[in-house]
Each structure stands twice: as structure tokens, then as C-alpha cells.
Amino acid sequence: MSELPRGSTIRKDAGMYGYERALRRHGIEPIAGVDEAGRGACAGPLVAGAAILPPGKAGIVPGLADSKLLTEKARERCYEQVVRRASAWSVVVVSHEECDRLGMHVANVEALRRAVALLELPPAYVLTDGFPVDGLGVPGLAMWKGDRVAACIAAASVLAKVTRDRIMTDLDAQWPAYDFKTHKGYITDVHTAALAEHGPSPIHRMRFVNVRRAAGLEVAAGIESPL
């Protein structure tokens, strides 16, 4: 789950599409990228995206980059391009209740698996961001900062990030005191102050230490940190 096919070489100047081109030279296709958004947030759902970009010019997404490095408007533009150009794409939303029940790492892996399984075009190979994901049914490669070096992972990152941001903006209308539309449930000074003043909302993740403290609950061993 951590090696390219033997004989594959990636030039340093190959760009974001280099890994996919190298795999195609070995006859490996389709190639999916998968990534998540919201793992580090202490409120709202976890969202995973998966994308298969076609070869050649049809699969080149203008302005594509790691979703975290793009402005909101640029992400929205990339999102529309990914949806239009992708051979297949999917998005999976894992509720805050399921994140609490499973724990964040297990929920994250499960979300990535579901996103790949939902692709209408089954991939022959999967590129993942940061760590390997077993149970995908096909070989793959875990890539350090994958959303910055592999186009299909960056595309999946954009799908996940834009979807989650839209959800959190909608949730802000229900719980405006927390300003979810601005920080999307991540721990900022504004969010920390809102938690201290109002306590957790119904969409906060109770496994997180800061949320439990805001709720006045005892911090137990094994409770996850938001960092």
C-alpha cells in the first residue's frame, strides 16, 4: 500500500499530474484520489471526497491545488470544474454522532472507504493523503501532503472541503452564536470564546477535550484532543 509499481519514476518537475501519468504508463487505470475535510474540527460532520480524473487535457482542472491553499471563491470554481470534468466522483458525510461513536481515526478511514466504494467507475488504484487506507479492494499509495502533489487527491480535497463548508454555513443559521460560517467548527479564538460562553451546541463532538470542558464534564482517559 506504499509503493508505486516497479520501474516508475516521477520527475521533480512533473507537477500535480505526474503520479497519475506514471501509473498510466504501466497500464494502471482508472486512478482515484481520496481525501477528507473536517477531521480537526470539533463540531459538525466529517466529509470525504473521491475523484477520478480522465487522462489528457480533459482531466486538467484549472487552478487546482490543495483546497486549504485556495480562497473560498477559487475552491468553488475548482469544485464546479472537478464535477464537470471527473470521470467519477463521490462525497460521503459522516455525522458528528458517528464520529463520536467510532472515534475520529476510525471514522476517517471508514469515510474514505465509503467514498471510494461509491464511485460509479471502480478504480484500479487509489492515491490517499498522508496514510494508507486498507480495505479498498485495490492497490494504492499513501502520499505525504498528497493533496499538494497529486491532482486526483487535490480534486477529492476540493470536493470534501466545499461540501463541508456549505454544510457548516447552513448550520450557522441554526446556531448563529458559534459563527460556524466563519470558522467551520475548527478551534479559533472566536469559537473557543463561544464554547466558553454558550457551552456545546447539539452538533459539537463530545469526544473532544475542549468540548467536554465547555460542557462541564470530567475529562476522562482516552478522550481525543482537537489537535
Side-chain angles (χ1 to χ4, degrees), residues 17 21 24 53-62 81 84-86:
Y17 298 84
R21 285 197 295 266
R24 290 187 180 109
L53 298 175
K57 291 183 179 180
I60 296 177
V61 179
Q81 286 289 326
R84 182 167 70 85
R85 292 172 179 268

Side-chain angles (χ1 to χ4, degrees), residues 13-191:
D13 60 352
M16 293 190 74
Y17 298 84
Y19 282 90
E20 286 154 274
R21 285 197 295 266
L23 289 166
R24 290 187 180 109
R25 287 197 296 269
H26 285 266
I28 300 173
E29 200 171 10
I31 304 152
V34 62
D35 200 8
E36 53 76 26
R39 176 172 179 166
C42 69
L46 176 72
V47 178
I52 296 173
L53 298 175
K57 291 183 179 180
I60 296 177
V61 179
L64 182 64
D66 172 9
S67 65
K68 296 183 291 296
L69 302 179
L70 297 172
T71 65
E72 182 178 354
K73 289 184 178 179
R75 280 196 301 269
E76 290 282 351
R77 288 195 296 268
C78 281
Y79 178 94
E80 298 302 328
Q81 286 289 326
V82 170
V83 168
R84 182 167 70 85
R85 292 172 179 268
S87 301
W89 64 276
S90 68
V91 170
V92 168
V93 178
V94 178
S95 70
H96 65 282
E97 295 100 336
E98 188 169 7
C99 290
D100 275 343
R101 180 173 61 84
L102 296 177
M104 286 311 305
H105 180 69
V106 174
N108 192 30
V109 170
E110 180 62 23
L112 298 173
R113 288 174 182 154
R114 292 177 192 175
V116 172
L118 282 176
L119 289 169
E120 293 184 355
L121 180 63
Y125 201 90
V126 178
L127 300 179
T128 62
D129 181 30
F131 60 90
V133 179
D134 60 8
L136 297 178
V138 295
L141 177 68
M143 307 176 69
W144 176 247
K145 295 189 181 298
D147 44 10
R148 300 188 186 187
V149 297
C152 59
I153 299 179
S157 172
V158 166
L159 291 172
K161 174 66 173 168
V162 170
T163 299
R164 188 177 189 279
D165 283 0
R166 291 174 179 176
I167 291 170
M168 295 307 295
T169 298
D170 289 343
L171 290 171
D172 179 77
Q174 298 180 51
W175 292 285
Y178 299 92
D179 195 23
F180 289 135
K181 67 181 183 297
T182 301
H183 54 69
K184 309 300 187 296
Y186 291 93
I187 297 302
T188 64
D189 290 343
V190 171
H191 191 181

